[in-house]
Amino acid sequence: FSSIGQDSTGRWNNTHAGTFEISGNIMKNKLLYASPPDRIGSTNWVEYELKGDTLIMRWSKKVITASGQDITARMPKATSKFIRMKNPGTDAK
């Protein structure tokens, strides 16, 4: 996986990449690269729900640092919603 985020000034300063596993409705992300160096090696459990063309992801369900410390309670909770757009100019099913 990879994610890239901007701060309020438009600066690209929140980047992450690594491996993931999916089991049921949980995606477990292992951070191999991160712009904040203290996040490298941590694992973040993300709960997701897929309904038709909409994907909802609930971040920081559980977060464990590289040293094994559970920091879930300190992490901000965030929800992302992605909706697939269909091109009205095609006959794609």
Side-chain angles (χ1 to χ4, degrees), residues 59-64 69-77:
W59 297 89
S60 303
K61 184 81 172 169
K62 181 177 178 181
V63 182
I64 305 294
Q69 181 182 13
D70 186 337
I71 60 168
T72 306
R74 296 190 332 220
M75 298 302 293
K77 302 299 180 198

Side-chain angles (χ1 to χ4, degrees), residues 25-67:
N25 69 329
I26 300 291
M27 178 174 62
K28 186 168 87 171
N29 295 328
K30 172 87 174 192
L31 291 148
L32 301 178
Y33 306 96
S35 51
D38 61 325
R39 295 183 185 172
I40 295 172
S42 65
T43 304
N44 187 337
W45 282 255
V46 181
E47 183 178 35
Y48 70 90
E49 179 180 3
L50 185 59
K51 289 184 178 181
D53 290 334
T54 303
L55 172 64
I56 298 170
M57 300 179 78
R58 294 176 188 87
W59 297 89
S60 303
K61 184 81 172 169
K62 181 177 178 181
V63 182
I64 305 294
T65 66
S67 63

